[in-house]
Every structure is written in structure tokens, then in C-alpha cells.
Amino acid sequence: MSPAPLERIPPCSGRAIELETGDELVVIDPQGQQVSDLTAFSRDDLAEYLSSGRSIDYAARLWLSTGDTLYSNRSRPMFTILEDTCGRHDFTLTPCSKEMFEKLYDEAEGRPGCEGNLASALAPWGIGRDRIPVAFNIFMNVTFDAASGAVAVLPPLSKAGDHIRLRAEMPLVVAMTACSAGQSNNFSYKPIDYRIDRARAE
Amino acid sequence: MSPAPLERIPPCSGRAIELETGDELVVIDPQGQQVSDLTAFSRDDLAEYLSSGRSIDYAARLWLSTGDTLYSNRSRPMFTILEDTCGRHDFTLTPCSKEMFEKLYDEAEGRPGCEGNLASALAPWGIGRDRIPVAFNIFMNVTFDAASGAVAVLPPLSKAGDHIRLRAEMPLVVAMTACSAGQSNNFSYKPIDYRIDRARAE
């Protein structure tokens, strides 16, 4: 692996990147208690996307961590989680959006949210808002009451420097954010860092 | 409302229908312990679809029942649950599929599963397998361990005659199945019945 520079996603924004098979994407919470919504598409056929429902079904667990595989809607591995120093991420909720801010936060400013930021980042690949699925919400701490099914969004468990390392299992277009939703990041709106350790020198 | 005939979805198959705003779709488990995976698309723009992530986020509950709204990916109401005699449905897992049967059941026969049956039913609208999202899995009994996140698929709680009544909040294309996955229906592979109570006489 060649050493890779650290990239920063500024607060309330998104970024898209391309990965080759075997490349490793490290997503880092530099200051602690911040969330990064991540979604991915097969670069060879953008109709194939990261599927929460398939991944949860095959793991038989809501929360995925080291050793788990993230699957596409076609049941093919997209990522393997190689390392995870936080241990809690959500895979049930859609990215925050303008409409979500209106409904849940009574906000009328029209901030794009992670959904809009993911779509802007993916625009060069022709992927719009309608095609942003339930994301892998890295560091997002969502709990469930086993009896009532009640959902609670709590401050992330991530501390400064916590990270997750994902190996690409196919050529991918990946989009990720520094989350815009107050409740998800304990109203701190921090940046997210990432690094790509390439399988082959560029 | 005009009286409506009861329609039967044979075991391991699917059906698609169109609803106008205000029409009520009643999905019935005629024999008990059977699941129906349901998905929906806006008839005015088929890129708008039923979203598990939006619906769970807005309800702040994994399990939806009487009085809850099912939302689209654009955060618009698609259905209101008017009546629910069972009380437990899943909204986290993707429909069973050929690949799922291979991975979880070691089945190689290539049965299409609910995913394939939904796609076949939706073919006249040009909607293929890649566009079948996490479905609203009516009567499916999925439990979660609140500490580990472990997912268990248990026999449905539905008894013969249990039903759910959904009011369409926009013109819809709806697809639903009689589920093909043994674990979801306690290896009984039964039919599903439905009835459409039209808001206006046809």
C-alpha cells in the first residue's frame, strides 16, 4: 500500500470518490461524535447499489462491524469491514434531508442535508436524490426498544480519532458526508476525515 | 365505498394493482402465519417509491401500525394504516430472492422469491429487480436484541383472517406477494388475499 494523504469533508457537506477492488477506505471521526452517511454504487453498473436490507439479512444483525460484509441489492459483496474502533453504526435510516429537517426539526431554511449533499457529490455520475437509499450511517448511534420498536437517535459513541476501514470488493463510486443533522451528531456539526489506501500505486 | 370482491394471491407469487387517492387496500392473511411483501411507486412518477428509512425515521418506531403513515423517498405520504388486527410487520429487510435462498437456505433451485415475483408483477410498468427496495413486509415477525442488534425472523403473529387496511394517499402502483421464504411463514407457503375498497365507484 502506498501512503495516502488525509482528506477532510467540511461540516455539512459531502464528497464522492472512486475505488478499485482491493482499495481500502478509512473513514475517521477527527473530533468525536460526528456521523458520516455513506452510500455506494457499482462503477460497472450504477443500478447496483449498497443495500441495507440485504446486508442486515445476511449478517442477521442490525449493527455491522469488523468482519462483516456490506452487500449490494444484487447480493454481491461491496465492502468488507476490516477494522472498526467505534463499533456502532446505523443502517436503518435514510440520510437527513430538507424535508426531514422540516418534519422533525421544524427548520425551514432548506438546508440540503446529507441526502442533498450525497446527490450533489454524485451528480457527475448522473445519480440524483431519488436514488439515494438507506445509507450506512457511520458512527450514528441509533437504539431500538426490543418491546415497542421505539427508535432513539443518541449522540455517537465515537471519540476523536475513531475510524472504520472498508475494503472495496468491486469497483465502486462511493459518496459520504459530514452529517448535517443536529440530533445525529449531538448538535456539533463537525468535519469528517478520510483516507484511501490504494491497493496499487497510482 | 362500493363492495369489492376478494382476490387471492397464490402461494409463492406476486400481484400488482393501481390505486387512486383515497382507495383502501385490505391485505388479509386467510389461513394465518403468512407474510406479504408490499412495495409501492407513485403512479405520476415511478422514481418515487415507498421508503423504509423515511417511514421509520418519521414514526420514530421500527414497527408501524394503526394511525402510522408510510412515506415515499420524497417524504410524501403514500399510505395511512387505517386498521391493523395483527400489529407486527417488518420494514427492515429486503424481499427474499434467488440469491438469498442460496445464501441463507442453501437452495439452488433458483426460485424467484418475493423480489422476483414483485419485479414480474411490476414489469408492465417497466420496474425491474434493481428497483425493488426494502419492502413493507406485512405480518413478518422480525425481532431485534436491543443489546447486540441480533435479528431473528420468527413465525408471523397473524392468525387466520388478520388484516391490515391501507389508504392510498396518492395515485399508486402497488405490488405485493404471498411470501416464498420458509422462515418468514413458518414453512407453510400459504396464499394471501386482498380487497380494494374504491373511494369512487368504477
Side-chain angles (χ1 to χ4, degrees):
Chain A
M1 297 257 176
S2 45
L6 206 62
E7 303 276 350
R8 173 149 292 192
I9 304 175
C12 302
S13 70
R15 190 77 64 85
I17 56 162
E18 294 197 354
L19 298 177
E20 304 294 337
T21 304
D23 286 352
E24 296 177 11
L25 170 66
V26 187
V27 181
I28 304 149
D29 183 353
Q31 299 170 12
Q33 292 200 328
Q34 175 55 312
V35 165
S36 179
D37 288 9
L38 179 145
T39 189
F41 298 82
S42 164
R43 230 176 54 203
D44 294 335
D45 182 348
L46 297 171
E48 183 170 10
Y49 64 89
L50 182 62
S51 169
S52 61
R54 291 271 167 247
S55 301
I56 291 170
D57 201 9
Y58 295 146
R61 214 171 334 99
L62 278 179
W63 302 315
L64 305 186
S65 187
T66 308
D68 285 323
T69 302
L70 307 188
Y71 286 89
S72 76
N73 58 322
R74 295 182 187 167
S75 293
R76 300 199 307 153
M78 293 192 116
F79 292 106
T80 301
I81 304 178
L82 295 183
E83 201 183 352
D84 175 14
T85 66
C86 174
R88 179 57 73 88
H89 319 282
D90 171 69
F91 214 170
T92 59
L93 301 178
T94 28
C96 57
S97 66
K98 187 168 74 68
E99 293 80 8
M100 184 272 230
F101 291 138
E102 289 167 12
K103 279 183 200 291
L104 299 185
Y105 291 79
D106 216 15
E107 272 188 32
E109 303 99 284
R111 295 194 298 135
C114 286
E115 186 182 75
N117 290 330
L118 290 169
S120 296
L122 289 164
W125 289 270
I127 296 169
R129 270 184 74 187
D130 280 331
R131 288 171 61 194
I132 306 296
V134 173
F136 184 55
N137 302 309
I138 297 173
F139 309 126
M140 189 174 185
N141 183 15
V142 178
T143 64
F144 304 98
D145 183 279
S148 69
V151 170
V153 178
L154 302 177
L157 300 178
S158 50
K159 294 183 176 52
D162 271 336
H163 61 275
I164 187 167
R165 178 183 290 269
L166 303 168
R167 184 178 60 215
E169 302 297 352
M170 62 170 75
L172 292 170
V173 176
V174 182
M176 56 200 153
T177 65
C179 182
S180 306
Q183 208 178 6
S184 300
N185 55 41
N186 207 11
F187 298 91
S188 61
Y189 307 104
K190 294 167 180 172
I192 284 286
D193 290 348
Y194 70 92
R195 200 176 69 229
I196 302 171
D197 293 332
R198 298 283 179 191
R200 294 180 190 190
E202 286 176 286
Chain B
M1 298 260 174
S2 46
L6 205 62
E7 302 276 351
R8 173 147 292 190
I9 304 175
C12 302
S13 71
R15 190 76 64 85
I17 56 162
E18 294 197 355
L19 297 177
E20 303 295 337
T21 304
D23 286 352
E24 296 176 11
L25 170 67
V26 187
V27 182
I28 303 148
D29 182 353
Q31 301 171 9
Q33 293 200 328
Q34 176 56 310
V35 166
S36 179
D37 288 10
L38 179 145
T39 188
F41 298 81
S42 163
R43 230 176 54 204
D44 295 336
D45 183 348
L46 297 171
E48 183 170 11
Y49 64 88
L50 182 62
S51 169
S52 61
R54 291 271 166 246
S55 301
I56 291 170
D57 200 10
Y58 295 147
R61 213 170 335 98
L62 278 179
W63 302 314
L64 306 186
S65 187
T66 307
D68 286 322
T69 301
L70 307 188
Y71 285 91
S72 76
N73 58 322
R74 295 181 187 166
S75 293
R76 301 198 307 152
M78 292 192 117
F79 292 106
T80 302
I81 303 178
L82 295 183
E83 201 183 351
D84 175 14
T85 66
C86 174
R88 179 58 72 85
H89 319 282
D90 172 69
F91 215 171
T92 59
L93 300 178
T94 29
C96 58
S97 66
K98 186 168 73 69
E99 294 79 8
M100 184 273 230
F101 291 137
E102 288 167 12
K103 280 184 199 292
L104 299 186
Y105 292 79
D106 215 16
E107 270 188 33
E109 303 97 285
R111 295 194 299 135
C114 286
E115 186 181 75
N117 289 329
L118 289 168
S120 296
L122 289 163
W125 290 269
I127 297 168
R129 270 184 74 186
D130 280 330
R131 290 170 61 195
I132 306 297
V134 173
F136 184 56
N137 302 308
I138 297 172
F139 310 125
M140 189 174 182
N141 183 15
V142 179
T143 64
F144 304 99
D145 183 279
S148 69
V151 171
V153 178
L154 302 177
L157 301 178
S158 50
K159 294 181 176 53
D162 270 337
H163 61 274
I164 187 167
R165 179 183 290 269
L166 303 167
R167 185 178 61 215
E169 302 297 351
M170 62 172 73
L172 292 171
V173 177
V174 182
M176 55 199 153
T177 66
C179 182
S180 307
Q183 209 177 8
S184 299
N185 56 40
N186 206 12
F187 298 91
S188 60
Y189 308 103
K190 293 168 180 172
I192 284 286
D193 289 349
Y194 71 93
R195 199 177 69 231
I196 303 171
D197 292 334
R198 298 282 179 191
R200 295 178 189 193
E202 285 176 286

